[in-house]
Amino acid sequence: MRSSLAPGVWFLRTFSRDSWFRGFILLLTFFIYTCYHMSRKPISVIKSRLHQNCSELVKPVNDSHSLNDTTWCDWAPFDKNNYKELLGAVDNAFLVAYAIGMFISGIFGERLPLRYYLSAGMLLSGLFTSLFGLGYFWKIHMLWYFVLIQICNGLAQTTGWPSVVTCVGNWFGKGKRGLIMGIWNSHTSVGNILGSLIAGVWVNEQWGLSFVVPGVITAAMGVITFFFLIEYPEDVDCTAPQHHTSDGLEQNQDYAEDLGNDPCTNKESSLESAARCSREPSVQPAAISFLGALRIPGVVEFSLCLLFAKLVSYTFLYWLPLYIFNVAHFSAKQAGDLSTLFDVGGIMGGIMAGLISDYTNGRATTCCIMLILAAPMMFLYNYIGQNGITNSIVMLIICGALVNGPYALITTAVSADLGTHQSLKGNAKALSTVTAIIDGTGSIGAALGPLLAGLISPTGWNNVFYMLISADILACLLLCRLVYKEIVAWKSSLSRDRSSSLALTHPR
């Protein structure tokens, strides 16, 4: 019996149990989304294999192609001169489907059990990823097959992000959410790294296995998710987290609204009302509407900012190995392996962004500063990044940190902050919808970036980087209003602290 234990002993036992479950959920969701990104990455590595310079390779003895055939080593239909546009179409099929599906996925995620929803999504994603690779073994050379598979996979993968962010948001309060989610969000980069390394093993031989192996791993993780995912702390008698800070800073930023009309939350309510509220069973809040989620302060600004930030990040994700292959003239495997350094920098950037934003309580300002620094770093990488392996390594890590830092912060801590917003009056059911809106808007940029890169790259890689820098600047400008509010809030807080210090130093 709980009452038979000393309060301190009961607290330690509860804390220990809560900590174990929170750590387990954090680790499980980390592996879940690592698998999602691992299954997305192989296409960027395989691009250099689908179309390459056949004159530099030795034709096999038993090859049936004619001596004058300069595309004997390519994989049709990507053996044509417009192969970049065709590869861009394959990328875009996935990303457009992902962007459209994301807006719908959040609505389903709030109305269906996350465990079932997430498990089904992982099984389907594993299936479609494997089917793309099986096109090699089945000798499929029709563009529509690869486009159709990518569309189906894009829709299946929309089940992932709203679900895992909602689950983590249910278990972790606001206190150190930026740091915790910054570390947790490294699953994106870890998945990209694993996807690149796995794809690199078979890229020069049976490239179909580069998709089949990640697909099987993703499906297996879906089975584990079905048996072990716990959606709410209350399901295992753990303590629910505190979603709001008590220092009043959010109110100064207009990120919250007054809760005073509710007798169950009003501090001035009578003892009778408080007792009645504690006895009455809590009513499950209704899922928020799409327009209702848009009215939460900050959702529109961060969504539009993510559109341009994700445009930059996903252009690197899908085209960086090919850029390194063409410009630095590494082999396909070396280019894939070197591109993982961008994701290593992304891990550092996500953790750094979370830590700084927790310390300053300024999510928008942290994103804005990192975006400002990212623009000149991308410019330098394009001009000096390929002058030696050392330059390439250093610049890739720096660019990865500055590009992926704001992207990671917005899709994790910011989404969780807004989805558990005080203006919702305790209705945490908005978390999945808000996450889907923010990431869905960002996914529009993720679809545009690789498409534009495919169209612009034939005119020169310099123009691709100019496009990325322009998008980075636009992302920064969209946060100006929120940055201004955070600066005003900091000044107000400093003024209050100064007044309190003077009052203590010179009492009347």
Side-chain angles (χ1 to χ4, degrees):
M1 292 292 292
R2 182 182 295 177
S3 59
S4 64
L5 294 173
V9 176
W10 173 78
F11 172 77
L12 289 173
R13 287 192 179 181
T14 304
F15 178 78
S16 177
R17 190 171 188 275
D18 287 355
S19 298
W20 275 109
F21 271 104
R22 283 188 167 86
F24 172 74
I25 292 299
L26 206 63
L27 193 63
L28 180 61
T29 51
F30 180 93
F31 287 135
I32 288 171
Y33 212 69
T34 294
C35 290
Y36 272 102
H37 258 265
M38 177 183 64
S39 63
R40 295 180 198 177
K41 184 63 177 178
I43 183 64
S44 67
V45 179
I46 301 304
K47 281 178 181 176
S48 56
R49 172 64 180 83
L50 298 177
H51 188 101
Q52 51 190 332
N53 188 353
C54 300
S55 62
E56 296 179 354
L57 302 175
V58 179
K59 186 180 291 188
V61 178
N62 59 350
D63 190 80
S64 59
H65 293 84
S66 66
L67 293 175
N68 296 325
D69 188 354
T70 59
T71 63
W72 63 268
C73 65
D74 298 333
W75 187 267
F78 306 104
D79 55 348
K80 302 177 177 60
N81 291 331
N82 65 336
Y83 72 98
K84 288 184 179 179
E85 288 83 355
L86 297 180
L87 290 171
V90 173
D91 291 341
N92 220 48
F94 174 91
L95 293 167
V96 170
Y98 185 84
I100 295 172
M102 185 60 74
F103 291 104
I104 305 169
S105 179
I107 297 172
F108 282 116
E110 302 224 337
R111 291 160 175 81
L112 297 173
L114 286 182
R115 185 164 62 92
Y116 300 146
Y117 190 54
L118 197 51
S119 301
M122 295 195 77
L123 289 171
L124 288 173
S125 181
L127 171 65
F128 293 124
T129 302
S130 299
L131 284 173
F132 194 102
L134 289 173
Y136 169 84
F137 298 102
W138 295 340
K139 300 187 183 305
I140 296 175
H141 297 281
M142 296 170 288
L143 181 65
W144 67 263
Y145 173 83
F146 298 105
V147 169
L148 180 62
I149 292 298
Q150 286 291 77
I151 290 173
C152 294
N153 199 10
L155 292 173
Q157 290 232 347
T158 60
T159 59
W161 191 242
S163 300
V164 294
V165 172
T166 299
C167 191
V168 172
N170 289 339
W171 279 87
F172 289 89
K174 182 165 183 180
K176 293 185 178 179
R177 184 181 275 163
L179 175 60
I180 291 171
M181 285 194 156
I183 297 171
W184 173 76
N185 191 65
S186 63
H187 53 50
T188 299
S189 298
V190 172
N192 292 340
I193 292 170
L194 287 175
S196 296
L197 295 177
I198 291 172
V201 173
W202 293 286
V203 63
N204 292 320
E205 297 176 0
Q206 296 179 320
W207 61 258
L209 290 174
S210 299
F211 294 90
V212 173
V213 173
V216 170
I217 295 172
T218 301
M221 195 65 207
V223 175
I224 294 172
T225 300
F226 177 80
F227 285 107
F228 293 103
L229 185 69
I230 304 166
E231 187 174 346
Y232 294 104
E234 296 86 346
D235 293 342
V236 286
D237 297 325
C238 286
T239 307
Q242 178 66 37
H243 287 298
H244 306 293
T245 58
S246 57
D247 58 4
L249 184 58
E250 286 188 71
Q251 286 81 351
N252 291 328
Q253 295 174 328
D254 285 342
Y255 283 174
E257 293 180 2
D258 185 23
L259 304 178
N261 293 329
D262 188 350
C264 293
T265 57
N266 193 343
K267 293 180 180 179
E268 297 181 359
S269 296
S270 65
L271 293 175
E272 291 81 359
S273 297
R276 184 174 66 253
C277 290
S278 66
R279 289 193 302 267
E280 290 176 355
S282 58
V283 179
Q284 284 293 327
I288 194 170
S289 67
F290 185 87
L291 292 176
L294 284 177
R295 283 194 289 266
I296 298 172
V299 168
V300 172
E301 288 93 337
F302 277 116
S303 296
L304 293 175
C305 172
L306 186 64
L307 187 152
F308 292 103
K310 206 166 179 179
L311 182 153
V312 177
S313 180
Y314 267 65
T315 302
F316 275 101
L317 173 68
Y318 279 89
W319 287 94
L320 182 58
L322 187 62
Y323 170 75
I324 296 172
F325 177 80
N326 287 340
V327 177
H329 305 295
F330 287 100
S331 69
K333 184 180 186 308
Q334 289 172 331
D337 292 345
L338 194 60
S339 70
T340 62
L341 293 171
F342 184 83
D343 295 297
V344 172
I347 295 173
M348 299 177 183
I351 295 172
M352 183 170 60
L355 185 62
I356 294 171
S357 67
D358 275 344
Y359 180 76
T360 61
N361 207 3
R363 309 283 198 216
T365 306
T366 302
C367 291
C368 193
I369 291 174
M370 295 185 81
L371 289 167
I372 290 171
L373 294 174
M377 287 299 109
M378 286 190 288
F379 181 83
L380 287 174
Y381 172 66
N382 184 42
Y383 276 90
I384 67 171
Q386 307 304 327
N387 298 338
I389 189 67
T390 303
N391 283 355
S392 186
I393 291 172
V394 172
M395 294 302 299
L396 276 171
I397 292 174
I398 293 174
C399 287
L402 295 174
V403 168
N404 283 341
Y407 161 42
L409 185 63
I410 293 172
T411 54
T412 54
V414 169
S415 296
D417 288 351
L418 297 175
T420 55
H421 196 271
Q422 286 190 11
S423 65
L424 298 170
K425 300 184 179 181
N427 181 4
K429 294 280 284 183
L431 188 50
S432 183
T433 299
V434 169
T435 302
I437 289 173
I438 292 176
D439 200 52
T441 307
S443 297
I444 296 173
L448 287 173
L451 175 65
L452 291 173
L455 295 174
I456 296 172
S457 57
T459 68
W461 286 104
N462 288 347
N463 294 329
V464 175
F465 275 86
Y466 293 146
M467 179 267 291
L468 296 177
I469 292 169
S470 300
D472 185 84
I473 294 170
L474 287 171
C476 182
L477 292 174
L478 285 163
L479 292 180
C480 286
R481 188 179 74 89
L482 298 180
V483 170
Y484 174 76
K485 286 189 173 185
E486 288 180 351
I487 293 172
V488 169
W490 288 334
K491 287 183 177 179
S492 177
S493 179
L494 287 172
S495 298
R496 289 198 307 271
D497 292 343
R498 193 177 294 111
S499 299
S500 299
S501 299
L502 289 173
L504 291 171
T505 307
H506 304 288
R508 292 183 181 179

